[in-house]
Amino acid sequence: QVQLVESGGGLVQPGGSLRLSCAASGSIFRINAMGWYRQAPGKQRELVATITSGSITRYVNSVKGRFTISRDNAKNTVYLQMNSLKPEDTAVYYCNAEIVTTSGLKTYTYWGQGTQVTVSS
């Protein structure tokens, strides 16, 4: 059994900053790639940023230079630092992780429950 628990969402004014966290727990042998996705009302879920186990990062063009993804392998946690936030960043943000479980060393993709980020004045 593996869980991803997110925190750090909220309401922020345009130009402000937020830091999202996502901690994985449970029957974890190894965590491969981790990432953040978002889904705005009426839109499809989109990839925001990913980070490999070797800390290679990738971003969607709309957040490059404003968002930074990082991870703490000792804490099984991935972070998303969001700066210079814009109203169009408003969405539910989901973390995602590819995890090798201790049960038979099988690999599964897990999702967090989502955290709301609202950028508004």
Side-chain angles (χ1 to χ4, degrees):
Q1 194 83 349
V2 172
Q3 280 189 317
L4 299 183
V5 178
E6 298 149 351
S7 60
L11 172 65
V12 64
Q13 292 187 341
S17 298
L18 282 175
R19 188 193 195 206
L20 305 183
S21 300
C22 173
S25 63
S27 304
I28 299 170
F29 176 76
R30 184 180 67 244
I31 302 178
N32 295 331
M34 306 181 83
W36 289 94
Y37 290 70
R38 66 186 179 187
Q39 187 166 19
K43 295 188 177 181
Q44 290 189 332
R45 189 174 297 189
E46 67 167 350
L47 171 69
V48 176
T50 60
I51 184 167
T52 68
S53 57
S55 295
I56 296 173
T57 58
R58 182 165 64 99
Y59 300 90
V60 66
N61 285 339
S62 60
V63 308
K64 284 182 180 177
R66 300 188 298 122
F67 291 11
T68 302
I69 188 171
S70 60
R71 63 192 285 172
D72 184 332
N73 292 328
K75 296 181 179 179
N76 290 337
T77 299
V78 62
Y79 305 96
L80 186 68
Q81 177 66 44
M82 305 184 293
N83 299 327
S84 302
L85 282 160
K86 304 175 181 180
E88 51 263 43
D89 294 317
T90 295
V92 178
Y93 283 71
Y94 299 90
C95 70
N96 161 286
E98 184 181 275
I99 295 175
V100 182
T101 63
T102 55
S103 177
L105 297 182
K106 294 183 178 180
T107 301
Y108 299 96
T109 297
Y110 293 90
W111 292 87
Q113 79 283 3
T115 185
Q116 178 69 47
V117 172
T118 302
V119 185
S120 175
S121 54

